[in-house]
Amino acid sequence: MAAHFGRLRKGATTTAVAAVAVAALSASQAPGVTTDDLGRQAAGAAQPSGDANTGGAGGGATGDSPYYTDLPPLKSPNPSPSASPTTGTTVSVGEAEAGIPATVLDAYKKAEAELRASKPGCNLPWQLLAAIGKVESGQARGGRVDASGTTYSPILGPKLDGNGFALIADTDHGAYDGDPAYDRAVGPMQFIPSTWEWAGRDGNGDGKKDPNNVYDAALAAGHYLCRFDRDLSVQSQMNAAILNYNNSTEYLNTVLSWLEYYRKGTHEVPDGTGTLPSHSSNSDPGASPSPTTPATPSTPSTPSTPSTPKPGGGSTSPTPKPPAPSSPAPSPTPPTPTQTVDHLEDANTGKLTATAGSAFGTKVAVRAESKASKGVSKVRVRFTIIGDTDATFTGGESVATVVTGSAGTATAPALVAGEKTGDFTVRATVVGRVLGGLDYTATVTPRQADTLTRTSDTALTCVPGGEFADQVELKATYKGAVAGKVAATATLIKSADDATENDKGPYFKDADGKTIRTLTDLTTDADGVLKLPKLYADDAIGTFLLRVNTTGGAVLTVELKVAAAAS
């Protein structure tokens, strides 16, 4: 939809000025991004492989809802020091548009700090969150939030009922947006409920994930932008992240303009005093900008004009108008692809098994089908990892949404096993429909080794009551490759034919200095090396055996000799 660009600074009134600004913004978009003549990103534009919201109506975090199109002032901020109205610390004061409400600004900066720790390679600037917050909600309607960061009233986008917007049927039973029929973008960062369900975060530590809380919403937006191992210091990757948030080139340019403006200087203003935008990307001039507050009561209708009295009594009624010709009945709206889906079918998904720390060789694939068992394209399918596991999809997420192709097939991103072994479930469901899903069992097996060798051929000897000069060091391999992080045990055994623990001869010491002859919970390092603790000898002399076993069946028996010192 065409956007209306507006100025909040008095005096900037000419169309030429706005045109120059838009031209400058267009020059900054990523190479290779193509658009249709409505400013939306066209098919084939640059997007990361396996993007959770590529293609299809209503994609992205916001369902491609309308947004504010006001541009920043042409004059860059020229901050000067002043005391913060809320904290007393020194802040900058400049153009009114550069002011960000104190709690909202704090939420953006805390989200940046958390992402710097959890995803340092993303290089998320808080100014990007501020730019998106400005465009999506006018910084939470000028900072109308309480002390915990929750908006005083919900911020809701329009109903995504297909009437000028994407068609997204209700996915949350109205839990977030209060609408049991259609989804609506919610909160300061305008997440649609189906995205918030998996992308939501607890940014203020209150144990809840609330899209109407600016701390929760800002942190969720940061994680959403940082998916797919993006590095936002690379302009093309930042552009892809913004387009993934709301799939419109005009949106990209508007966000980038505010990002550049905020990078040049901002200052803190009291909550509730931020400047509100006034122009929306909604092409209907009479429509409210997105997002909106809950609707206000309508104005009572004007009473009808009384009839004019006739001279001599009676009254003159207005001349009746002929009835308007009846309009033809509107043609029924054709169903969306999602509405035609009857069920999901497996699309030849193989056995899902991987060793801890490695990628699964098989991907989960499903097919969306109609009642006639025909594949349905352009349907969003959500894949969710369920269970006590640290396995993820490529990129580190536990949820991925993929749009079905021409044959109706959607293939999940590759699964990557974590360190937790055992089974977990991958569930496939249709977004926007209440249908039975498909569950797939995936298994993570322990890391293995099939061979153990000593890293040295030095004889291991000791005198009675002494300690061995050399520690036992081993290297594990599996099918000729280094076997790192493989579990192992070491036991001083009675004989080659009797693997029970010996009660005499060499021994290890525990943390309290007590004698132990079995070590458990051992693990090879990343290079497959396992170095055992120092060994000691009691008064018994002779040849003793140390046996080391690993997961996968590797076994090595090492000789230890205890003999009196030569005279």
Side-chain angles (χ1 to χ4, degrees):
M1 59 191 75
H4 303 286
F5 292 90
R7 292 285 173 200
L8 299 182
R9 182 170 57 88
K10 293 183 179 179
T13 59
T14 66
T15 305
V17 170
V20 170
V22 174
L25 289 170
S26 299
S28 68
Q29 78 179 58
V33 174
T34 58
T35 63
D36 61 18
D37 52 11
L38 294 181
R40 296 184 294 255
Q41 185 182 17
Q47 285 279 8
S49 174
D51 198 315
N53 291 291
T54 301
T62 70
D64 295 343
S65 295
Y67 55 92
Y68 288 118
T69 58
D70 302 69
L71 293 173
L74 295 178
K75 182 180 178 182
S76 297
N78 184 21
S80 57
S82 178
S84 164
T86 57
T87 64
T89 57
T90 300
V91 296
S92 297
V93 177
E95 283 275 345
E97 276 300 334
I100 299 178
T103 300
V104 179
L105 180 60
D106 183 56
Y108 297 149
K109 292 186 175 181
K110 284 186 175 177
E112 179 200 54
E114 196 279 342
L115 267 298
R116 192 185 305 122
S118 62
K119 295 185 178 180
C122 178
N123 295 305
L124 171 76
W126 67 261
Q127 292 92 340
L128 177 57
L129 296 176
I132 291 176
K134 179 71 173 182
V135 169
E136 293 293 350
S137 69
Q139 311 297 19
R141 291 202 299 262
R144 291 183 53 79
V145 297
D146 62 21
S148 69
T150 302
T151 57
Y152 288 118
S153 58
I155 302 176
L156 300 175
K159 292 183 178 182
L160 298 176
D161 58 3
N163 184 19
F165 310 111
L167 175 57
I168 304 181
D170 175 67
T171 61
D172 66 329
H173 304 292
Y176 293 117
D177 55 16
D179 191 332
Y182 299 97
D183 273 356
R184 303 173 71 168
V186 182
M189 304 304 277
Q190 288 289 278
F191 280 92
I192 55 175
S194 58
T195 301
W196 183 262
E197 180 184 351
W198 60 267
R201 295 292 195 279
D202 178 13
N204 62 352
D206 64 355
K208 297 183 294 184
K209 299 175 182 178
D210 182 2
N212 293 299
N213 182 280
V214 70
Y215 287 99
D216 295 358
L219 184 58
H223 278 279
Y224 189 95
L225 294 165
C226 287
R227 294 180 306 157
F228 310 116
D229 293 328
R230 288 189 181 110
D231 180 359
L232 300 186
S233 65
V234 178
Q235 189 62 51
S236 61
Q237 295 190 37
M238 176 183 283
N239 291 355
I242 297 170
L243 284 170
N244 193 207
Y245 205 90
N246 191 314
N247 195 20
S248 159
T249 303
E250 286 184 356
Y251 179 88
L252 167 67
N253 290 337
T254 306
V255 169
L256 290 177
S257 70
W258 282 106
L259 169 63
E260 183 65 18
Y261 183 75
Y262 286 141
R263 277 176 164 167
K264 292 178 179 178
T266 58
H267 61 277
E268 178 184 297
V269 298
D271 290 343
T273 65
T275 305
L276 295 175
S278 57
H279 296 77
S280 169
S281 63
N282 188 347
S283 58
D284 179 3
S288 299
S290 170
T292 64
T293 56
T296 54
S298 58
T299 305
S301 58
T302 305
S304 59
T305 306
S307 58
T308 306
K310 264 191 194 178
S315 63
T316 303
S317 300
T319 303
K321 293 183 181 180
S326 59
S327 301
S331 57
T333 303
T336 65
T338 300
Q339 290 172 326
T340 66
V341 176
D342 178 72
H343 59 276
L344 288 176
E345 284 288 336
D346 176 56
N348 298 318
T349 301
K351 188 175 182 180
L352 298 169
T353 303
T355 302
S358 65
F360 284 72
T362 301
K363 296 180 180 179
V364 177
V366 299
R367 188 169 184 257
E369 294 186 352
S370 64
K371 284 186 178 179
S373 296
K374 292 184 178 180
V376 183
S377 63
K378 298 181 181 179
V379 173
R380 291 187 298 155
V381 176
R382 178 179 297 130
F383 298 93
T384 307
I385 295 174
I386 301 171
D388 184 18
T389 180
D390 53 355
T392 65
F393 292 113
T394 302
E397 300 292 342
S398 61
V399 177
T401 304
V402 180
V403 177
T404 58
S406 58
T409 302
T411 302
L415 285 164
V416 179
E419 295 303 321
K420 288 184 179 180
T421 59
D423 294 344
F424 64 92
T425 299
V426 179
R427 178 167 296 164
T429 55
V430 176
V431 177
R433 288 296 302 276
V434 181
L435 295 173
L438 293 180
D439 283 356
Y440 295 86
T441 299
T443 303
V444 179
T445 59
R447 298 171 187 264
Q448 302 178 56
D450 55 17
T451 305
L452 276 174
T453 57
R454 283 190 62 197
T455 59
S456 169
D457 56 3
T458 304
L460 298 168
T461 61
C462 182
V463 297
E467 60 182 52
F468 287 80
D470 296 308
Q471 291 176 243
V472 178
E473 185 176 270
L474 312 172
K475 185 164 186 177
T477 57
Y478 183 68
K479 295 182 179 179
V482 167
K485 299 183 181 180
V486 175
T489 61
T491 306
L492 290 151
I493 61 176
K494 290 186 175 181
S495 70
D497 300 323
D498 186 355
T500 57
E501 182 181 287
N502 208 340
D503 56 0
K504 62 180 179 179
Y507 61 92
F508 300 104
K509 290 182 180 180
D510 65 11
D512 298 324
K514 295 180 180 179
T515 297
I516 55 172
R517 289 189 168 89
T518 298
L519 298 176
T520 58
D521 299 326
L522 301 173
T523 306
T524 62
D525 65 16
D527 297 321
V529 175
L530 174 63
K531 190 171 185 177
L532 300 181
K534 186 179 288 292
L535 278 161
Y536 302 87
D538 59 13
D539 294 334
I541 61 172
T543 299
F544 301 89
L545 299 179
L546 169 67
R547 181 163 291 172
V548 182
N549 300 270
T550 71
T551 303
V555 180
L556 180 66
T557 302
V558 180
E559 284 191 351
L560 306 172
K561 292 184 178 181
V562 180
S567 58

